[in-house]
Amino acid sequence: MIVQRVVLNSRPGKNGVPVAENFQLEQSTIADAVQAGQVRVKTLYLSVDPYMRCRMNEETGSDYLQPWQLSEVADGGGIGVVEESQHHNLAKGDFVTSFTWPWQTVAILDGNSLQKLVPQLVNGRLSYFLGAAGITGLTALLGIREKGHVAVGANQTMVVSGAAGACGSLAGQIGRLEGCTRVVGIAGTDEKCSILVQEMGFDAAINYKKGDVAKQLRELCPGGVDVYFDNVGGDISDTVISQMNQNSHIILCGQISQYNKDVPYPPPLPPDIEKIRNERNITRERFLVLNYMDKQEASVLQLCQWIQEGKLKVRETVVEGLANIGAAFQSMMSGGNIGKQIVSVSK
């Protein structure tokens, strides 16, 4: 069977900025026969995420991420429908997902590597299982629960950087649902800031490209910052940390401002900021959602319940066509999107 697939065509280099041309669409073939334990799936949706930037390098700098190989098909979070099954627990028509889904139109996969999905849990919006009800939502929810130390009635203020992104836009809302009394987002455009406040329930949002961020933070967080959901690192994070309270907590989710730089993860803080962190006993521990998969099922059900109740607002940027996945990745890495970046492969 002839299929289309996307391979890694070139590497941007450790300090390079990824572009669409780093990926290439090509034709390939897969076996006509499905072997015992396997299923043939048609790809419906693929996810592009910031962590994939590390996979474009020869070495990812991480012990849990493998680099993509040149001229080989890329992979990541994906959703598809079973077209033929030789697996005892999967049948034709089932919707399934995997964290290692190949970027191709049709694939033959090991049935044991797939998780069956229940569309009704997300009101039929299957793509949500790659975002708000998937690994992105889990990262936001479990990050807050495991590293944020949020408590109802504690009058805590949370700040979220990269707040209009896939994880940040959920984290601010979840922080509120978990008990924070004030949530402030940091984003890169007035449009994003407006959406955060008017649609997603943030108390306020700062456009970091306008005005004095430190001054705005002091005005919007007069009692200081108790919880910081850090998606970006760099100067913005240094500014937030300098205004954090004694015994406060940083949820170290991502450092997208540093992903195109050859630095260790998590990047070390500048000496003056590290001094503040130590003096104020601010926790800054690496968070990896894959370490908490024993809590996945219950957490996904919680996220789905909030979605069904309208308590968790979801934004997606959907790009049509496998041929455009490289451009979608470039756009996501440049911060041009609001919410989760999804590629729709098949209707």
Side-chain angles (χ1 to χ4, degrees):
M1 177 184 292
I2 297 175
V3 301
Q4 288 188 316
R5 68 177 192 171
V6 170
V7 302
L8 184 66
N9 186 49
S10 60
R11 301 188 191 276
K14 283 188 176 182
N15 298 306
V17 177
V19 294
E21 291 72 26
N22 291 134
F23 300 96
Q24 180 174 304
L25 180 72
E26 64 179 29
Q27 283 194 339
S28 185
T29 59
I30 61 172
D32 291 324
V34 177
Q35 304 298 319
Q38 294 180 329
V39 295
R40 187 177 74 245
V41 292
K42 180 173 73 172
T43 304
L44 300 178
Y45 299 103
L46 294 170
S47 173
V48 292
D49 302 281
Y51 80 87
M52 293 174 171
R53 173 62 184 86
C54 305
R55 301 192 68 190
M56 299 180 77
N57 296 334
E58 289 187 47
E59 297 180 1
T60 65
S62 169
D63 54 4
Y64 68 94
L65 287 177
Q66 295 299 313
W68 287 327
Q69 300 301 316
L70 289 173
S71 302
E72 295 293 330
V73 65
D75 68 293
I79 290 173
V81 60
V82 176
E83 293 188 320
E84 183 180 346
S85 176
Q86 293 293 333
H87 187 273
H88 68 280
N89 196 40
L90 296 172
K92 183 178 179 179
D94 283 346
F95 295 105
V96 290
T97 187
S98 168
F99 194 58
T100 56
W101 196 286
W103 287 7
Q104 57 190 59
T105 50
V106 179
I108 294 177
L109 304 176
D110 179 357
N112 291 331
S113 70
L114 301 172
Q115 181 180 356
K116 194 185 300 186
L117 299 175
V118 181
Q120 292 84 352
L121 289 175
V122 288
N123 300 324
R125 297 293 296 271
L126 275 172
S127 58
Y128 283 11
F129 284 115
L130 293 178
I135 202 75
T136 309
L138 287 172
T139 299
L141 176 58
L142 291 172
I144 289 168
R145 286 184 171 176
E146 300 297 328
K147 300 295 184 181
H149 303 273
V150 174
V152 175
N155 195 32
Q156 292 164 297
T157 293
M158 171 186 279
V159 171
V160 183
S161 59
C167 197
S169 61
L170 298 172
Q173 298 178 75
I174 292 170
R176 170 87 72 201
L177 290 166
E178 289 290 285
C180 286
T181 55
R182 186 163 184 77
V183 179
V184 176
I186 302 175
T189 68
D190 288 343
E191 179 194 9
K192 291 178 179 179
C193 290
S194 177
I195 289 171
L196 291 174
V197 174
Q198 296 180 14
E199 184 176 317
M200 297 184 172
F202 284 62
D203 292 284
I206 297 169
N207 181 349
Y208 70 86
K209 296 180 181 178
K210 286 186 175 181
D212 185 332
V213 174
K215 179 182 178 183
Q216 293 177 76
L217 265 179
R218 284 191 294 270
E219 293 171 351
L220 294 172
C221 307
V225 179
D226 302 295
V227 184
Y228 174 38
F229 199 99
D230 185 6
N231 286 302
V232 302
D235 293 341
I236 290 175
S237 290
D238 296 345
T239 301
V240 176
I241 294 169
S242 68
Q243 297 189 32
M244 294 187 74
N245 293 325
Q246 194 75 23
N247 302 317
S248 54
H249 305 283
I250 300 169
I251 302 166
L252 194 59
C253 177
Q255 302 280 278
I256 194 168
S257 72
Q258 308 297 304
Y259 286 168
N260 293 328
K261 302 176 182 178
D262 186 14
V263 294
Y265 185 84
L269 296 171
D272 57 328
I273 302 300
E274 181 64 19
K275 182 180 179 183
I276 290 173
R277 192 193 69 79
N278 285 322
E279 289 176 346
R280 299 181 191 172
N281 191 35
I282 302 169
T283 64
R284 183 181 184 256
E285 301 167 347
R286 183 175 184 178
F287 172 73
L288 178 60
V289 69
L290 297 179
N291 290 337
Y292 300 92
M293 285 297 97
D294 59 315
K295 301 180 180 181
Q296 177 185 14
E297 185 174 354
S299 298
V300 167
L301 289 175
Q302 174 66 87
L303 292 163
C304 290
Q305 180 181 335
W306 282 335
I307 292 169
Q308 290 174 342
E309 293 172 348
K311 294 179 178 178
L312 196 60
K313 308 296 184 183
V314 182
R315 272 273 187 157
E316 291 181 325
T317 301
V318 180
V319 174
E320 299 288 340
L322 184 63
N324 295 315
I325 198 167
F329 185 81
Q330 178 180 344
S331 176
M332 180 269 303
M333 286 299 299
S334 68
N337 306 317
I338 298 174
K340 181 70 178 179
Q341 178 77 72
I342 299 289
V343 175
S344 175
V345 178
S346 302
K347 291 294 186 182

